[in-house]
Amino acid sequence: MAVTLIVFGVAGFLINPGLQTRVLNEAKGAATLASAGNISAFNIGNAVGPWAAGLAISAGHGYLSPSWVAMGFAGLALITALAGSAVDAVERRRAPVARPAAPEAPATAVEAVEVNPPDVAAAGAATERSAR
């Protein structure tokens, strides 16, 4: 039982950075608002979970009923995550693939080599002087 609680606690803390990163990556131009919404959702979950578990116990379903409530919330979270992944997959398929532009090949050999006419004349004159 103690090992399960430790694993559950570690998993709970490890999920936050990944979710926060995803929210910030998806927020185009409103990172602060998206971050605030994400943290607010966590706080709402921290309040609603114990409240729903307390309702289940108060309704006379026993002390194990919070486990069933938690399983229901986990199922809803899984459905939400799968739906989000499906929407992302559809958006990726629809989005055009950005490919880097290929460099254009020169139309002629003259365009391939930049020639500065004064340099060519000077080089030619130097070659004639050295040949004499």
Side-chain angles (χ1 to χ4, degrees), residues 115-126:
V115 177
N116 191 355
D119 292 342
V120 171

Side-chain angles (χ1 to χ4, degrees), residues 2-69:
V3 173
T4 305
L5 288 175
I6 291 171
V7 170
F8 183 75
V10 169
F13 280 104
L14 289 178
I15 196 80
N16 271 346
L19 289 174
Q20 184 73 7
T21 301
R22 178 169 167 80
V23 166
L24 293 177
N25 285 340
E26 295 294 325
K28 308 285 188 252
T32 305
L33 179 62
S35 179
N38 186 38
I39 299 306
S40 295
F42 273 109
N43 287 329
I44 289 169
N46 287 338
V48 170
W51 174 74
L55 285 178
I57 292 171
S58 296
H61 296 295
Y63 291 118
L64 290 179
S65 61
S67 300
W68 293 104
V69 170

